[in-house]
Every structure is written in structure tokens, then in C-alpha cells.
Amino acid sequence: MRNWTMTAALLCSILVACGESEPWHERDNSVKAYVVMQGYVERRLRSPSTADFPLINKVRVERLEEHHYRITGYVDAQNGFGATVRHEYRGMVQQGGDDLWRLVKLDL
């Protein structure tokens, strides 16, 4: 669901523009972490354009030490036969700056 990805990215931009004055390393960037993870998950899907991610309140995002975020969730997407299947995933990303992220682990 690319609209959600774009909406979340827009939300992140609005938060920064509306006075999120704390440095990135002091903020809880769970929403950004979820959006970043969506991109990594999409890259591993057979049909990424069919990806339909739930809203953030349907997934688990944990803020860990050293700017790591563990995300446990699911995505509905088509498989190689065109059937929509639910894929559960668990992964971790690390933030290294405002817009600097790296994938640490992803089980899909």
C-alpha cells in the first residue's frame, strides 16, 4: 500500500517542520523505522507493487539501544501465482542520522 508509505513519510516531514527540534538521536523515530522497514520488506516480495501494509498500530515497533528498532508485522501481497498471501516478518533497522538507516536483520 504505497499510499501509506507516502503518508507516513509526509507525517515524518510534518513532524520535523512543526517543531521537532530534538536531535534525531534523542527522538523516538518509530514511525520512520516502520516506513524504512516497509521498503526493505517490499524489495523481498515477489510482487512489491501489490504490497498492502497495515497502519502502525497493527504492528509492533520496539525502540532498542544504540538507535536500533525491532519491527514485527505483516504485509499482504501477491505471490508468484497472483494469489494475495499474508507474509509475516520480523526485522531490525538501525538509525545513523535523520535520514540514514541500515537494515540489520530481516526474517520474512
Side-chain angles (χ1 to χ4, degrees), residues 3-86:
N3 290 342
W4 164 243
T5 302
M6 292 170 53
T7 303
L10 179 61
L11 175 62
C12 292
S13 299
I14 291 170
L15 290 174
V16 171
C18 291
E20 253 311 311
S21 58
E22 293 176 302
W24 69 268
H25 53 84
E26 293 178 8
R27 289 191 308 260
D28 180 358
N29 292 305
S30 294
V31 173
K32 279 188 178 183
Y34 179 47
V35 172
V36 168
M37 183 58 77
Q38 287 178 2
Y40 288 119
V41 170
E42 279 184 347
R43 289 184 201 126
R44 296 215 181 156
L45 295 173
R46 181 70 151 210
S47 298
S49 64
T50 67
D52 185 12
F53 291 91
L55 296 176
I56 194 166
N57 64 343
K58 301 285 185 183
V59 299
R60 183 173 182 183
V61 181
E62 300 170 84
R63 183 179 179 193
L64 307 171
E65 296 178 355
E66 299 179 17
H67 317 296
H68 285 78
Y69 292 83
R70 181 182 304 126
I71 298 102
T72 306
Y74 65 90
V75 59
D76 295 328
Q78 290 181 359
N79 63 14
F81 299 104
T84 299
V85 178
R86 179 157 291 177

